[in-house]
Amino acid sequence: MDRKKELKQRYIEETTIEAGVYQIKNTKNQKIFIGSTKNLKTLNGVKFSLETGGSYNKELQEDWNQFGKDAFTIEVLEVLKKKDEPYFNEKEALVELENKWLENLQPYGERGYNRIKSR
């Protein structure tokens, strides 16, 4: 294997992809949005969507436009702990983790930007 391929392979092996739950908080009105992602490195993409007016969450986008990016913080609330079990389902575990935070923080109505999920 040539040096370039070897370095690329080592980078892939050493770069861990972490799934988790994050919060976007409006520091002006204290409203929050709780979300989850299979790759926490994509949070830059979430921020980029808001900065370019492309967020799928209309209310969050409107406040972002009104208050500006400096009025918001984005933070990781919890990283998903992956289990070395043959039947571990990362997608289901991530949904459960997000639901735990939604239940805990109740980011609905006047408190946040999330919508109550219908079952």
Side-chain angles (χ1 to χ4, degrees):
M1 187 181 311
D2 68 20
R3 181 78 177 138
K4 190 174 178 181
K5 282 185 181 180
E6 183 183 329
L7 289 172
K8 185 177 178 183
Q9 184 62 34
R10 189 178 308 158
Y11 174 79
I12 290 169
E13 290 170 1
E14 291 176 2
T15 305
T16 57
I17 296 174
E18 294 182 309
V21 177
Y22 63 91
Q23 168 183 276
I24 300 173
K25 183 175 186 175
N26 183 329
T27 60
K28 299 293 184 191
N29 62 18
Q30 305 308 308
K31 288 177 104 173
I32 59 174
F33 173 79
I34 303 298
S36 64
T37 179
K38 287 181 171 184
N39 184 351
L40 289 168
K41 291 179 182 159
T42 64
L43 288 180
N44 285 334
V46 171
K47 187 175 179 182
F48 180 77
S49 290
L50 286 162
E51 288 174 352
T52 59
S55 175
Y56 65 89
N57 187 306
K58 187 178 176 184
E59 188 180 355
L60 175 58
Q61 184 68 64
E62 287 172 357
D63 279 1
W64 184 279
N65 295 344
Q66 178 183 351
F67 296 109
K69 70 179 182 177
D70 293 335
F72 290 84
T73 60
I74 300 175
E75 68 177 299
V76 175
L77 295 174
E78 188 171 352
V79 175
L80 178 67
K81 291 169 186 68
K82 297 181 183 180
K83 297 179 180 151
D84 278 337
E85 297 174 1
Y87 300 107
F88 177 71
N89 185 323
E90 181 182 30
K91 186 176 180 182
E92 286 178 10
L94 188 55
V95 168
E96 286 177 24
L97 189 63
E98 181 179 357
N99 286 337
K100 176 188 94 170
W101 282 98
L102 288 169
E103 181 69 29
N104 238 1
L105 298 175
Q106 295 290 311
Y108 310 109
E110 293 299 311
R111 296 185 60 166
Y113 301 105
N114 292 80
R115 300 271 179 258
I116 296 175
K117 296 176 182 176
S118 56
R119 297 181 188 237

